[in-house]
Amino acid sequence: MRLSSRAVVLMAVAALPLALSACSSGSSDSGTGASTGSGASAEPAKAQDPNAALATGTQLKKALAPASAFPAGLTLESDGSADSGGRFLSPAARKTGKPDCTRLETTSWIQVSGFKGGVSFAQNGYANKTEEVDQEIDAFQGTTATAVMKALRSVAAECATYTDTDAHAKVKLTGSATPGLADEAYTMTLTSGYWENGTTLIAARSGNSVVTVLSTAGGDNGAASAKKVTTTVLAALNK
């Protein structure tokens, strides 16, 4: 059984505070300036917080599927557990160009879309010597979650065949829309003649959050276990 690469991407949570400088405008205290009729100055509208409606990493961690949603015989991988805590990360610009298809073999495979990840996230994984199932939730500002899903659909076409990092074997990728999961979902299956079992990847968007699951567990290329974990996470997100 093939074990996917354990290249977990841990995002830095600490952010330098922004120095905000206030600039006074307009009027002079010399008494020579013109005054408004009411004597009151209009206050500028406050900028809307782009993270206001988003869950923090601490909240997303609570929505991760529990051990009971994973196949028997898999245990929590301590080195694959991470979250962004109670603070939001700065959004990163999308990396353009040909995707690195080998990222589809890693736990944070959402990065194959060109997006580093959300402004908040939580992830962990369960594994044994031959199988693994990983889950991640990323929350994005604005319409970025929709853009991530669009990019992942493009990846399925661009990475239809590629060479893996472990066995240097040819990998075939097939992808299709998956109805009935949240606002939209997409499933990709990776197979190779050199592997004993394939890998199933599911990405599902619920509002501003994208759930990504990777599974190599089970004789069905990880399909059933991936779907179970995904539906469990989505149910927790929508409580």
Side-chain angles (χ1 to χ4, degrees):
M1 193 71 66
R2 174 181 174 275
L3 184 66
S4 296
S5 302
R6 300 295 303 172
V8 180
V9 179
L10 301 179
M11 307 174 88
V13 178
L16 292 175
L18 297 177
L20 301 178
S21 59
C23 298
S24 59
S25 63
S27 63
S28 167
D29 291 331
S30 64
T32 58
S35 61
T36 61
S38 63
S41 59
E43 293 186 3
K46 292 183 178 179
Q48 185 176 359
D49 181 0
N51 300 321
L54 303 181
T56 65
T58 301
Q59 293 169 319
L60 293 176
K61 182 179 179 180
K62 296 177 181 178
L64 291 174
S68 58
F70 291 80
L74 303 188
T75 57
L76 181 65
E77 296 279 276
S78 58
D79 64 343
S81 300
D83 65 82
S84 54
R87 302 180 68 178
F88 290 99
L89 306 171
S90 298
R94 183 191 177 196
K95 182 180 179 181
T96 58
K98 182 175 175 58
D100 179 0
C101 300
T102 61
R103 284 193 177 276
L104 293 167
E105 303 167 41
T106 69
T107 54
S108 279
W109 64 270
I110 191 173
Q111 294 193 56
V112 76
S113 67
F115 292 92
K116 181 176 280 189
V119 293
S120 60
F121 79 99
Q123 67 180 71
N124 66 27
Y126 288 73
N128 57 25
K129 292 182 178 180
T130 58
E131 300 175 313
E132 71 172 300
V133 183
D134 301 296
Q135 60 179 337
E136 181 171 344
I137 315 170
D138 288 87
F140 296 90
Q141 296 176 352
T143 60
T144 305
T146 301
V148 169
M149 294 298 296
K150 182 179 179 180
L152 289 175
R153 290 192 293 270
S154 297
V155 164
E158 294 182 84
C159 296
T161 58
Y162 73 94
T163 302
D164 83 336
T165 54
D166 294 335
H168 303 290
K170 184 177 180 180
V171 179
K172 180 181 178 181
L173 184 158
T174 58
S176 62
T178 309
L181 287 179
D183 296 317
E184 58 177 321
Y186 198 79
T187 299
M188 290 182 274
T189 304
L190 311 179
T191 55
S192 174
Y194 288 84
W195 301 348
E196 293 182 34
N197 193 34
T199 302
T200 294
L201 308 173
I202 299 178
R205 180 181 67 83
S206 178
N208 293 91
S209 297
V210 176
V211 176
T212 47
V213 173
L214 176 155
S215 177
T216 66
D220 59 351
N221 298 325
S225 54
K227 187 171 183 179
K228 182 177 181 180
V229 171
T230 303
T231 55
T232 302
V233 175
L234 290 171
L237 280 176
N238 294 311
K239 278 185 178 180

